[in-house]
Amino acid sequence: MLPGIGIFGTGPAVKVLIPILRENGFKIEAIWSRTIQDAQELAKEQNIPFYTNKIDDVLLRKDVVLIFVLCSPNLHAQISVKALGIGKHIVCDKPAGLSQADALKMVNASQYYPALISIINHSFRFLPAFTAMRKQVGDDYLGSSIKLIDVRIQCGSLYSEADNFDWRCNDIMGGGILNLIGSHVVDTVTYITGAKALRVHGVVRTFTKTTKSINGIRQISAPDFCTFQMELEGGILVTATLNSQLVNNSFHQDIVITGNDGYLTVRGCELFGKRNGDLEEVLLSEADNKEWVVSNNLPRPYILGLYKMIGALREAFLPVSETAGWIKDPVCFAAGFDDGLYVQAVLSAIKQSSQIKQWVKVDVMTEQPDTNALLSAAVRRTAISIT
């Protein structure tokens, strides 16, 4: 029997997730939102029996066994750690919290309860095009080594002109193209190559600071453009440009991996390849992705990946026999909380690089920082600047 679902959040991703869950046989038992009005509205629209604006009201329900955290990043660690502590499985949206400190709390909790599923919603890992690309890289389609990875993603604004100011508009609260799309890029590159970033160099910018509904005292601080380079283990160089300045809501994704003997490229949901001396070939076409969920304004690659991830999650909860327990194998390729911690380290380094205009080493946190020491350092920096 599949577990009951509790969902935190009422944004566009939730409205896409609910029909996917139901198609796979899951029952949504409860929905949470920051305001009771939003929770009530979505519960009525989606026929969900329970709604609330109190976190514990969802976590403590006996019919809720699997939690989806798709709310603002400042609540990711709080909800995930508490849920694991009372025996709930977790799927948390990206990025993992607001900082490495948040992500490390989640990692420690997941390691303390290893029997529970705890994964980050990096749905690109389940997109068939990237799954096939990873296999081709492993089968040496590109030759003995990878030289360069070039990523270019262009899309419309991450919020509409009618949207009011919320966490997506605020860089400190986890909004912006670097956190929401760049986190997928960082994770996917490591998933495909198996190599992690050693150092990064980035430029992060916010070009659109006001809209028709967001103006005056409150302005948008979340970046809508970023470009960064990553030097990976083994000497692989990654260049990425993420631009949400398109006027319409179209989405263009082009990811090219170049090796000694040719290249592989994902365009949208399709995979193409070319070996030296040969013509470009289609390795995975749009026709291969027959399973599809009609979406609203979210890009097709994200939702197709989510669709496949939920299918794998369903398999993880199906009993292998009448006496056997649940298995985690179908989601063994999903991003864990430790992957979320690594992504946070890379994002932090990119932001720091943009500020100081230098290459920055990627340092993954292994223990919680001493808050007293950080406060003392901040006081010293303030004193120096005053003098």
Side-chain angles (χ1 to χ4, degrees):
M1 183 176 178
L2 296 176
I5 303 290
I7 299 177
F8 287 86
T10 55
V14 173
K15 295 177 182 178
V16 172
L17 173 66
I18 289 173
I20 297 176
L21 287 171
R22 285 175 170 160
E23 183 175 336
N24 280 275
F26 290 101
K27 183 179 180 181
I28 296 94
E29 302 286 358
I31 190 82
W32 172 96
S33 180
R34 187 178 296 276
T35 67
I36 195 68
Q37 292 82 3
D38 287 345
Q40 182 182 26
E41 182 180 335
L42 188 61
K44 183 178 180 180
E45 176 188 320
Q46 297 291 340
N47 194 26
I48 298 171
F50 179 80
Y51 63 87
T52 183
N53 64 344
K54 297 179 180 178
I55 292 174
D56 288 352
D57 285 354
V58 175
L59 295 180
L60 296 177
R61 287 183 64 90
K62 292 183 179 180
D63 55 1
V64 171
V65 179
L66 173 60
I67 301 292
F68 278 80
V69 184
L70 294 119
C71 53
S72 56
N74 63 302
L75 294 174
H76 287 183
Q78 176 188 341
I79 296 172
S80 298
V81 170
K82 182 176 286 190
L84 289 170
I86 58 177
K88 311 288 185 177
H89 303 276
I90 287 287
V91 177
C92 183
D93 205 12
K94 81 298 167 196
L98 288 175
S99 63
Q100 284 199 71
D102 276 358
L104 186 56
K105 292 176 184 177
M106 297 166 64
V107 170
N108 291 337
S110 66
Q111 291 175 345
Y112 196 77
Y113 302 100
L116 297 173
I117 290 177
S118 54
I119 62 178
I120 300 292
N121 178 26
H122 281 304
S123 56
F124 268 12
R125 290 186 176 221
F126 292 87
L127 185 67
F130 285 124
T131 302
M133 176 181 269
R134 184 175 187 265
K135 184 178 185 303
Q136 294 291 351
V137 169
D139 292 342
D140 293 332
Y141 184 95
L142 301 174
S144 58
S145 64
I146 297 172
K147 298 177 180 178
L148 177 68
I149 303 175
D150 184 61
V151 180
R152 297 180 185 274
I153 296 177
Q154 299 185 77
C155 61
S157 175
L158 301 179
Y159 25 79
S160 70
E161 287 285 325
D163 285 343
N164 293 321
F165 187 94
D166 63 12
W167 68 268
R168 295 173 301 160
C169 306
N170 191 292
D171 183 38
I172 297 176
M173 293 296 292
I177 195 168
L178 178 59
N179 281 331
L180 301 182
I181 297 181
S183 57
H184 275 308
V185 172
V186 172
D187 178 77
T188 303
V189 165
T190 295
Y191 168 70
I192 292 172
T193 65
K196 292 187 175 181
L198 300 175
R199 62 183 189 137
V200 300
H201 186 278
V203 176
V204 183
R205 292 286 184 270
T206 304
F207 290 111
T208 302
K209 298 184 179 181
T210 61
T211 66
K212 290 181 180 179
S213 57
I214 303 172
N215 50 57
I217 297 176
R218 283 187 165 180
Q219 292 194 347
I220 298 169
S221 61
D224 49 25
F225 173 86
C226 68
T227 181
F228 58 88
Q229 296 171 298
M230 299 191 295
E231 187 178 300
L232 307 186
E233 298 164 333
I236 302 171
L237 182 64
V238 179
T239 65
T241 300
L242 315 178
N243 176 20
S244 62
Q245 289 290 304
L246 296 188
V247 176
N248 54 30
N249 287 325
S250 60
F251 181 89
H252 303 282
Q253 171 182 272
D254 197 347
I255 295 154
V256 184
I257 301 183
T258 305
N260 290 334
D261 295 341
Y263 67 80
L264 291 164
T265 178
V266 170
R267 300 176 193 138
C269 296
E270 298 182 304
L271 175 65
F272 303 85
K274 182 181 183 303
R275 287 172 169 168
N276 293 337
D278 297 332
L279 297 175
E280 183 177 272
E281 58 181 330
V282 180
L283 299 175
L284 184 78
S285 71
E286 190 78 8
D288 296 324
N289 297 322
K290 295 179 181 179
E291 297 175 288
W292 175 236
V293 175
V294 177
S295 168
N296 52 3
N297 60 346
L298 294 183
R300 178 183 175 94
Y302 290 93
I303 303 189
L304 182 56
L306 180 64
Y307 185 83
K308 296 292 185 179
M309 187 182 80
I310 298 303
L313 195 62
R314 177 183 182 274
E315 295 298 319
F317 282 101
L318 290 178
V320 293
S321 72
E322 291 184 1
T323 57
W326 290 340
I327 57 173
K328 292 181 66 173
D329 289 344
V331 290
C332 64
F333 293 115
F337 284 0
D338 54 336
D339 297 303
L341 175 61
Y342 159 72
V343 170
Q344 275 287 10
V346 176
L347 298 182
S348 297
I350 292 171
K351 294 172 187 175
Q352 182 183 356
S353 172
S354 182
Q355 292 173 349
I356 67 175
K357 298 178 174 56
Q358 294 179 6
W359 283 86
V360 173
K361 180 182 177 183
V362 176
D363 286 319
V364 180
M365 185 182 293
T366 57
E367 60 183 19
Q368 291 292 341
D370 185 341
T371 54
N372 291 329
L374 291 176
L375 181 60
S376 298
V379 171
R380 288 196 301 271
R381 286 197 299 269
T382 303
I384 292 172
S385 64
I386 293 175
T387 56

